[in-house]
Amino acid sequence: MEPKIFDQIAKQYDTEDRVQLAHRILEKLKPFLNDTETSCLLDFGCGTGLLGIPLTSQYKEVLFCDDSNVMLDVVLSKIKAENLSNAKTISLADWIESPTILADQILLSLVLLHIPDTDSILKTLSNHLKPNGKIFIVDFVKNEKVSHPKVHNGFLTEELEQKFKSIGFRTVTSLVILEEKKVFMNEDASLFLLIAEK
Ligand SMILES: C[S@@+](CC[C@H](N)C(=O)[O-])C[C@H]1O[C@@H](n2cnc3c(N)ncnc32)[C@H](O)[C@@H]1O
């Protein structure tokens, strides 16, 4: 089996640049989060938990899921070090096989671009979201200068909004939240936040 790139980089993932970018994303995201004290948040594609770990202080519960078990090990060590009683990790395989695990809110930060079949993952996420739940997506706006066989070169937000509407989400909105230098395959990039309500 081909080694997973995120398994290989997990233990060195928390560079100063990534920590600072996650911090800037979090500051833009926070004003849009609601009912957090009573909600269970799924940080999907959580990586090392750069967004989800700080959010544990305001959510009732945060569940961390990732395709990389090494990333989940890093998250688990942070959960233990900070003695967080409202945080848990779950492997991607276990999450997929557990249709009864339903979140109130789901966050995907810089994850969707790594998943080849966008339609399929949006449907799967929707099936793991409670009625009236919300999905928050932070990702790159489409950039034609970026080309990589395993990564989407960003997204057109109108197309993504349409995908959510076609699977039954009631309201979908998006906005550009950040303009960053050399963050997307060494290209400058705009980052959007999309909020879809079931
Ligand atoms: C660029 S990192 C982002 C990590 C974190 N969300 C953040 O903003 O710091 C992308 C993460 O998505 C995970 N990932 C990639 N494909 C995935 C999939 N199909 N399901 C779940 N996680 C996936 C990777 O293992 C990696 O941890």
Side-chain angles (χ1 to χ4, degrees), residues 6-7 13 18 22 25 43-51 65-68 71 92 108-111 113-116 121:
F6 284 108
D7 278 351
Y13 190 79
R18 289 200 183 105
I25 292 172
D43 184 358
F44 187 82
C46 58
T48 60
L50 289 177
L51 278 86
C65 179
D66 201 284
D67 182 39
S68 161
M71 286 289 192
L92 182 61
L108 282 83
S109 167
L110 305 181
V111 181
L113 77 159
H114 295 287
I115 303 179
I121 189 62

Side-chain angles (χ1 to χ4, degrees), residues 14-33:
D14 288 357
T15 60
E16 188 57 24
D17 283 353
R18 289 200 183 105
V19 171
Q20 290 306 324
L21 178 60
H23 183 73
R24 289 195 290 280
I25 292 172
L26 206 47
E27 288 313 301
K28 295 290 181 182
L29 175 67
K30 272 183 180 171
F32 295 94
L33 304 176

Side-chain angles (χ1 to χ4, degrees), residues 123-148:
K123 282 184 198 138
T124 307
L125 289 164
S126 176
N127 290 340
H128 283 77
L129 186 66
K130 287 184 192 168
N132 304 314
K134 282 186 183 173
I135 297 186
F136 298 87
I137 294 188
V138 176
D139 219 304
F140 296 114
V141 175
K142 198 170 195 60
N143 186 339
E144 301 296 351
K145 288 186 192 160
V146 172
S147 174
H148 188 283

Side-chain angles (χ1 to χ4, degrees), residues 2 9 24 26 39 88 94-95 107 117 133 141 161 166 172 184 188-189:
E2 213 182 314
I9 66 173
R24 289 195 290 280
L26 206 47
S39 296
K88 277 190 279 190
D94 286 348
W95 177 76
L107 169 64
D117 189 340
V141 175
E161 285 182 22
S166 71
V172 193
F184 191 16
D188 296 351

